[in-house]
Amino acid sequence: MADSDESARRVYLDYNATTPYADEVRARISHVMEHYWQNPSCSYAEGVRAKDIVEESRRDVADVIGCDDPSQIVFTSGGTEANNWVVQCLRLNELQAGRPVHIVSTNIEHPSVALPIQKLCKEVPTTVSCTLVSPDPETGAVRAGNVVAALTPHTRLVSVMLANNETGVVQPVAAISRAVCTWARESGVPPPAIHTDAAQAVGKIPVEVNELGVDFLTIAGHKFYGPRIGALFARHGSSLSLVPLLEGGGQERGLRSGTENTALIAGLGCACQLITRDSKQSSVQTMATTCTALRQELMNRLGTEGVSFNCWQPGADDECRRLPNTCSVAVTRLPLQFTARAILAKCRHVVAGVGSACHSDLDDSGCASSVDSVLTRSGVSSSAARCTLRLSTGRDTTLQDVTLAAEDIYRAVVELEHEAMATGNNS
């Protein structure tokens, strides 16, 4: 992402927040908007073709997550709706039946999972309870055994994200699913539904719903060069039934009423196709190569004592994997009176964040916070969390980009060090 003027060149390193539309996706959306704008529910030829496009895209989405039955894919407005929908199904299914409900989740989930669960527990405290499992502070990953230890005979939902948006740690969802099913079988109780928010994972690591063993899986198109809509995989026969939240025309097999946005659905399908067709994972390799180079460039400039990479263990096994594009780095060389925001404010080229774009300014109560709670809950010290940058590379990131970015961050830190010395506070 370069301008002709090197001094004005911006290096975007916030691909975990959002990605640009792929050229092919943009072209597909434009084509469908121009030629197939008719209502997919209409029976004339143009409407039928629009409906065909929706169903073709549904197959593309199913393919990217290894789902062999496209009817298990429901289109949504985005990842937030999909996550909320799963939690709301507990209210509509279990609570209306008068049964007690227990939920197991983690304390590092995206707000669109954490807040609906929190709200449900507050609204019906005598019936709904939740146990939040913490990740291992050494790895940032939740242990399957700790999830099983939190289960009760009333557990109806287990929700664990597939990859953390801030640390990049891939959670062992498949192992958790196996352990939960084994526990249910041995305990003689129905297995709880298992949900994973895979918004950050699709397009970066292989995602296979059957291998993961999940009943629900959340997809967000804008995380992998698609439009800002999403989809929910809902397995047929799950112990938790998907219940419609809206009444209307009965689209999406009666599960989500509202005229389908054919153009954006086509764009989502196209974005999924790009992932499926990249059999050699060249895009993932690009992200991994540039992210590795970025870590090395930062160490070269700031020194091995001047930076610390959160939840990162070189050569870690599969239980401690990370997204290939994510670099959560604490600039420990930074003077104590400054935070990571001060670094970014001094940068001329780097475009990045200090945490999740959805809640980097908020603490648990929705108030401004100087320390990122997801990081500290993942085992990162408060002092390291205060000076942490979340850098994430993309398909178009180059080695020249990461060199410029590392130099830019280095210059910003040096400027802040000089300011600290000038004020007599350089601790």
Side-chain angles (χ1 to χ4, degrees), residues 48-65:
V48 171
R49 178 54 188 144
K51 182 66 172 178
D52 288 342
I53 290 171
V54 170
E55 296 309 314
E56 290 165 7
S57 301
R58 196 185 310 279
R59 287 192 289 273
D60 291 332
V61 175
D63 286 345
V64 86
I65 59 170

Side-chain angles (χ1 to χ4, degrees), residues 26 31 57 93 111 143 282-283 288 310 318-319 327 405 424-425:
R26 191 183 301 109
H31 178 76
S57 301
N93 277 309
R143 290 184 178 274
S282 57
S283 295
N310 300 322
D318 284 346
E319 291 299 308
C327 176
N425 187 356

Side-chain angles (χ1 to χ4, degrees), residues 160-171 173 196-201 205 323:
V160 178
M161 62 174 21
L162 185 50
N164 188 266
N165 48 315
E166 298 191 39
T167 64
V169 173
V170 177
Q171 303 298 326
V173 172
T196 190
D197 176 1
Q200 285 293 342
I205 60 173
L323 293 175

Side-chain angles (χ1 to χ4, degrees), residues 45-350:
E46 292 86 352
V48 171
R49 178 54 188 144
K51 182 66 172 178
D52 288 342
I53 290 171
V54 170
E55 296 309 314
E56 290 165 7
S57 301
R58 196 185 310 279
R59 287 192 289 273
D60 291 332
V61 175
D63 286 345
V64 86
I65 59 170
C67 168
D68 54 10
D69 183 358
S71 71
Q72 296 181 117
I73 302 296
V74 185
F75 293 113
T76 67
S77 62
T80 291
E81 180 189 338
N83 286 338
N84 273 261
W85 195 355
V86 174
V87 177
Q88 291 305 319
C89 285
L90 286 172
R91 180 196 300 276
L92 298 171
N93 277 309
E94 303 296 328
L95 292 181
Q96 287 185 1
R99 293 189 288 262
V101 171
H102 178 248
I103 305 167
V104 176
S105 190
T106 79
N107 62 2
I108 57 170
E109 297 296 313
H110 189 273
S112 60
V113 170
L115 294 181
I117 291 176
Q118 183 184 74
K119 182 179 180 180
L120 190 59
C121 291
K122 286 183 177 180
E123 289 181 349
V124 202
T126 58
T127 309
V128 181
S129 61
C130 178
T131 302
L132 298 180
V133 179
S134 299
D136 184 332
E138 294 297 317
T139 64
V142 173
R143 290 184 178 274
N146 292 342
V147 173
V148 169
L151 296 171
T152 79
H154 299 300
T155 304
R156 296 291 179 262
L157 176 67
V158 174
S159 183
V160 178
M161 62 174 21
L162 185 50
N164 188 266
N165 48 315
E166 298 191 39
T167 64
V169 173
V170 177
Q171 303 298 326
V173 172
I176 290 171
S177 295
R178 291 192 297 270
V180 168
C181 290
T182 298
W183 172 88
R185 185 173 60 254
E186 293 176 349
S187 302
V189 299
I194 300 175
H195 164 251
T196 190
D197 176 1
Q200 285 293 342
V202 175
K204 298 170 188 169
I205 60 173
V207 177
E208 297 278 344
V209 290
N210 292 327
E211 182 179 314
L212 292 171
V214 295
D215 299 285
F216 299 97
L217 183 141
T218 295
I219 296 170
H222 75 105
K223 301 295 187 182
F224 52 92
Y225 298 81
R228 291 179 183 176
I229 64 168
L232 177 65
F233 163 78
R235 189 182 296 278
H236 296 329
S238 167
S239 59
L240 180 63
S241 299
L242 198 59
V243 179
L245 302 181
L246 304 172
E247 300 298 333
Q251 288 85 354
E252 293 296 283
R253 303 183 311 286
L255 292 172
R256 188 181 186 275
S257 291
T259 303
E260 300 94 334
N261 191 329
T262 310
L264 294 191
I265 288 173
L268 180 63
C270 181
C272 290
Q273 276 188 5
L274 294 177
I275 297 170
T276 305
R277 291 174 180 173
D278 187 12
S279 58
K280 295 182 179 180
Q281 294 193 308
S282 57
S283 295
V284 174
Q285 288 300 320
T286 295
M287 289 187 272
T289 298
T290 52
C291 189
T292 299
L294 178 60
R295 280 194 291 265
Q296 189 60 53
E297 293 277 7
L298 289 169
M299 285 190 290
N300 290 346
R301 284 165 174 75
L302 293 165
T304 55
E305 300 299 319
V307 292
S308 174
F309 299 103
N310 300 322
C311 305
W312 182 66
Q313 298 177 320
D317 60 27
D318 284 346
E319 291 299 308
C320 306
R321 291 185 300 149
R322 293 176 57 99
L323 293 175
N325 77 318
T326 304
C327 176
S328 176
V329 57
V331 185
T332 52
R333 174 172 160 176
L334 189 68
L336 290 178
Q337 67 266 42
F338 297 115
T339 67
R341 294 185 188 277
I343 299 176
L344 294 177
K346 290 285 186 183
C347 284
R348 303 167 193 168
H349 304 284
V350 172

Side-chain angles (χ1 to χ4, degrees), residues 358-372:
C358 299
H359 61 118
S360 58
D361 292 326
L362 305 179
D363 65 11
D364 293 340
S365 62
C367 301
S369 174
S370 58
V371 178
D372 191 296

